[in-house]
Amino acid sequence: MKLIILILSALFIKIDGRIGRLEEDDFTEINWVHCGERPLIHHDSPHKIVGGQESLKGDWPWQIALTYNNRLICGGSIINSYWVVTAAHCVYSSLDPSRYKIISGLHDTNAHDSFTDIKSVSKIIVHPGYSNFGYRNDIALIKLSERLIFNDYIMPVCIPDLTFNLTNQDGIATGWGSQYSGGPISRYLMEVELPILSDTKCKEKYQSVETTTAICAGDNGLNIDTCQGDSGGPLVVGYESDHEHKRDDEHDHDHDHDQFFLVGITSWGYGCGDGGVYTRTSAYKNWISEIVKNN
């Protein structure tokens, strides 16, 4: 029988063949000590949507599917056990919480797993500066009606601050969006690795973009991109954290990164295949913190 191990005040226990984390986060805050961890990370995953590939089950545990009237419309990211962040344009047309559901631990849209969790929504908060014209401040927060229980397949992502360096970085975007412009959504969660452009190159490509609140990822001619249906989903960058924590021996994989940070939220672009624009989450960290704390 699996031993129960107490490590750094976190309790782990074997449940149905996986490690269930019984510790709870503080749902009035973001950036829990275990945020951005991928307990089931596959060291043989190529890490290479349009031009992407199917992800491995459980690889991106903060990814959620946002449904409206039971139809998948967008992605999003778990930031704590009660809150999800997505793009404002995903929810702006209807702020009625009863019409939405959040699905976490989802891989195959046609076949839910035992760890897949569906929650109702209690509150939707769109950034007050959001504009449909140019998708400025394209960010919204969704509060769940019930608390998420974190495990290997459901975990929050970290939110970076303004000091997070994106120079010469590649990000990984995930979602169930179309694999070509105008196509159907993907059955399986897809992933794609995208180069993050400098602010100068971003402005050259999209003159209307305000680079203090948005970033560009992907570029012309690469044929790798996010597409319709990926909106609101995560663009993450890995970072080797300086805090020490251990995992159960069975999950002692070769991690490329200790933590992943949500640097962008899929927002908009011209067609699919030549890159796009993402909401720069570091610019909204204080706003996110205030909403989560006071609601």
Side-chain angles (χ1 to χ4, degrees), residues 35-282:
C35 72
E37 292 181 6
R38 297 164 64 201
L40 295 179
I41 187 172
H42 299 82
H43 64 274
D44 57 346
S45 175
H47 286 189
K48 288 287 177 218
I49 325 193
V50 174
Q53 65 187 27
E54 182 183 341
S55 68
L56 297 176
K57 190 175 292 187
D59 251 3
W60 310 104
W62 44 81
Q63 172 82 52
I64 64 92
L66 175 64
T67 68
Y68 179 79
N69 290 340
N70 297 316
R71 181 175 65 89
L72 195 156
I73 58 168
C74 281
S77 301
I78 299 166
I79 57 173
N80 74 20
S81 56
Y82 265 106
W83 289 91
V84 163
V85 64
T86 189
H89 77 261
C90 291
V91 295
Y92 187 73
S93 62
S94 174
L95 298 178
D96 179 358
S98 68
R99 294 183 177 272
Y100 295 93
K101 292 286 191 300
I102 298 294
I103 310 177
S104 54
L106 180 66
H107 180 75
D108 181 349
T109 59
N110 289 355
H112 292 185
D113 291 287
S114 61
F115 46 80
T116 303
D117 193 3
I118 303 175
K119 300 291 190 193
S120 299
V121 171
S122 66
K123 186 177 294 187
I124 301 172
I125 300 177
V126 171
H127 191 279
Y130 172 67
S131 171
N132 270 326
F133 180 76
Y135 297 105
R136 295 184 183 275
N137 303 303
D138 192 12
I139 185 171
L141 291 168
I142 299 175
K143 189 174 185 180
L144 309 183
S145 58
E146 300 176 75
R147 188 174 199 154
L148 288 170
I149 303 300
F150 294 146
N151 56 56
D152 286 352
Y153 299 91
I154 300 174
M155 290 284 285
V157 70
C158 305
I159 303 295
D161 59 28
L162 291 171
T163 65
F164 197 92
N165 186 7
L166 293 177
T167 304
N168 298 320
Q169 293 273 20
D170 289 332
I172 297 174
T174 51
W176 292 272
S178 305
Q179 296 185 57
Y180 56 89
S181 185
I185 66 167
S186 172
R187 172 177 174 176
Y188 302 103
L189 181 65
M190 304 292 287
E191 63 182 68
V192 64
E193 188 171 13
L194 301 169
I196 296 175
L197 306 187
S198 67
D199 290 351
T200 300
K201 195 166 185 179
C202 184
K203 286 289 288 185
E204 289 174 354
K205 187 175 181 180
Y206 304 100
Q207 295 181 1
S208 65
V209 168
E210 178 51 66
T211 55
T212 59
T213 56
I215 61 175
C216 298
D219 209 351
N220 296 336
L222 296 180
N223 198 35
I224 51 174
D225 203 358
T226 48
C227 202
Q228 291 93 8
D230 289 318
S231 287
L235 176 70
V236 297
V237 168
Y239 178 77
E240 294 184 2
S241 64
D242 56 5
H243 72 263
E244 296 182 359
H245 54 274
K246 298 180 181 179
R247 298 176 180 84
D248 184 273
D249 290 340
E250 285 194 5
H251 288 74
D252 188 21
H253 301 303
D254 295 328
H255 287 236
D256 291 330
H257 303 282
D258 286 340
Q259 290 181 302
F260 280 78
F261 285 77
L262 181 69
V263 300
I265 298 168
T266 305
S267 183
W268 64 277
Y270 300 132
C272 301
D274 292 324
V277 180
Y278 297 76
T279 304
R280 186 188 292 264
T281 52
S282 60

